[in-house]
Amino acid sequence: MNNKKVLSWFILSFIAPLLLAFILLKINWLPTHQVNNGEFLAQKVILNNWQLIDPKQWSIAQQIPTICNETCLYNQQQMQQVANALGKYKDKVDLVLLGDLKGNSGIKNYPIQHQALQVNTLYLVDRFGLIVLAYPLSDNEEQNRLMKQGLIKDLKKLFKFARSA
């Protein structure tokens, strides 16, 4: 009798989590808490030939207009501020301009623009060219400060949990 009881508890310990997961999926329960600070893109965007710029583990990219005005230059400064604020992780992040314009020192240039990307937005790109998160910039300095803090937090989490860092 004792062996049957142990076997029953053993089988139940495997079936109960699966049953609970199945029930939660059937009632369409999703957690509301969000860990990331950036916005996921509505569609999957992969930058072709991304390997040509020899990217690091993560890149902060910005699509630039054909003529770089004051806003464009300001956004480049925002990218550099984020990279500087990363501290010890600064050397693991590339700054990239998406478009046909040479950037400042320390900013790489990827000459191809993507039609699904916006101009006043910073993008977090992995080493394979997949755009993971978007961080829209605005004219409000306080919103930009909060956005940059969120980008820094997201990058630090990614580096902390990266196995190949």
Side-chain angles (χ1 to χ4, degrees):
M1 183 72 177
N2 197 16
N3 287 340
K4 287 183 180 181
K5 197 178 213 182
V6 170
L7 183 61
S8 298
W9 279 109
F10 184 73
I11 292 173
L12 185 65
S13 68
F14 286 102
I15 293 176
L18 293 174
L19 185 62
L20 181 63
F22 180 75
I23 291 169
L24 292 176
L25 284 174
K26 281 296 182 185
I27 62 172
N28 204 17
W29 178 82
L30 295 173
T32 56
H33 179 68
Q34 183 174 329
V35 178
N36 59 300
N37 294 292
E39 301 172 2
F40 287 107
L41 299 178
Q43 64 182 18
K44 182 178 177 180
V45 177
I46 298 177
L47 301 170
N48 297 324
N49 300 322
W50 184 249
Q51 300 302 322
L52 295 176
I53 65 166
D54 191 29
K56 294 182 181 174
Q57 189 172 7
W58 292 98
S59 299
I60 301 170
Q62 173 199 355
Q63 182 154 295
I64 55 173
T66 53
I67 299 172
C68 193
N69 55 15
E70 290 179 25
T71 305
C72 173
L73 294 173
Y74 173 76
N75 292 344
Q76 289 178 32
Q77 288 176 335
Q78 299 297 310
M79 283 176 31
Q80 289 175 333
Q81 288 176 1
V82 168
N84 290 335
L86 285 170
K88 67 180 181 180
Y89 299 115
K90 180 182 178 182
D91 296 332
K92 295 181 180 183
V93 174
D94 270 334
L95 302 178
V96 182
L97 296 177
L98 306 175
D100 202 15
L101 179 72
K102 297 297 176 197
N104 302 338
S105 61
I107 298 180
K108 293 183 177 182
N109 185 262
Y110 178 77
I112 303 167
Q113 290 188 334
H114 198 284
Q115 65 273 11
L117 304 180
Q118 299 173 359
V119 174
N120 289 331
T121 304
L122 299 180
Y123 295 98
L124 186 59
V125 185
D126 73 358
R127 73 179 98 190
F128 304 109
L130 175 66
I131 297 182
V132 180
L133 294 169
Y135 300 86
L137 295 169
S138 69
D139 294 333
N140 186 335
E141 190 67 35
E142 179 64 20
Q143 285 180 345
N144 286 343
R145 186 183 65 77
L146 293 173
M147 182 278 312
K148 289 187 298 187
Q149 285 178 345
L151 176 55
I152 292 165
K153 284 180 185 177
D154 287 347
L155 275 168
K156 285 184 177 181
K157 282 181 202 172
L158 288 169
F159 286 126
K160 181 180 177 185
F161 295 112
R163 294 177 187 257
S164 61

